[in-house]
Amino acid sequence: MVIPVLVFVGITSIPIGLACIAASTKTMYWKHRYVKSRSDAQLRNPKKVRDTRTCKPEATADGSPIVPCGLVALSLFNDTYSFTRGDETLTVSKQGISWRSEREHIFGKRVYPRNFQNVTLIGGGKLDPSKPLSKQEDLMVWMRAAALPAFRKLYGRIEADELITVTMRNNYNTYSFGGKKTLVLSTAGVLGGKNSFIGFSSTRNSNSSFLRREIECLFF
């Protein structure tokens, strides 16, 4: 399938402060086989780079292990966004978008990409082979499995205090499974960007539990 590569320019206004950029994908189901197609031992330990037993069908290339292996890594999100304020290009910071536990314990400081996106089946984004996985925060964010088919992944942070222009390069193929993509910008405070989903879902679950108990009291 031919994926159209588009450049979309839009104007958006955000309040003064730090803006979090999230790529939101809907109707992408993280099915069991897909989520399990990875090797956590390989991600963490340079002595385990050949541990690709759980990564099929993306385990090896010409007999050599793919690092990181598996379908999750292969499908790395690769849309790109750039931001300008007038004639000034804003820098998108990728530092700190992952969890500290991921950088320090899950992705190894001495594990480097090998044979990644260098096989017949090309998935999504590429990795810098000169950087260890512990420095590739886009990969860390993407490989954190989502609980629901509609999810957000943090793309980066920018400093902005007025109107900005957004340019998007549409590379990631969601058309084959009827998915949708959305670019979300939100201001960040001390605790990070706004995420109302957790609050809404917690309230909904609490209300459902309360209603169920009331019904049980009435009828039983």
Side-chain angles (χ1 to χ4, degrees), residues 2-3 5-6 15 26 28 43-44 58 75 88 91 106 113 117 130 133 139 141 170 198 201 205 208-209:
V2 178
I3 306 172
V5 178
L6 309 174
K26 297 182 179 180
M28 179 176 179
L43 295 174
R44 183 172 53 250
E58 294 302 311
S75 62
E88 176 191 4
T91 301
I106 300 177
Q117 303 289 22
S130 67
L133 297 188
L139 176 70
V141 172
N170 180 25
I198 295 176
S201 62
N205 292 337
S208 298
S209 299

Side-chain angles (χ1 to χ4, degrees), residues 64-83:
S64 181
I66 298 172
V67 183
C69 63
L71 294 174
V72 180
L74 180 77
S75 62
L76 178 64
F77 189 76
N78 65 337
D79 277 5
T80 59
Y81 308 97
S82 60
F83 305 85

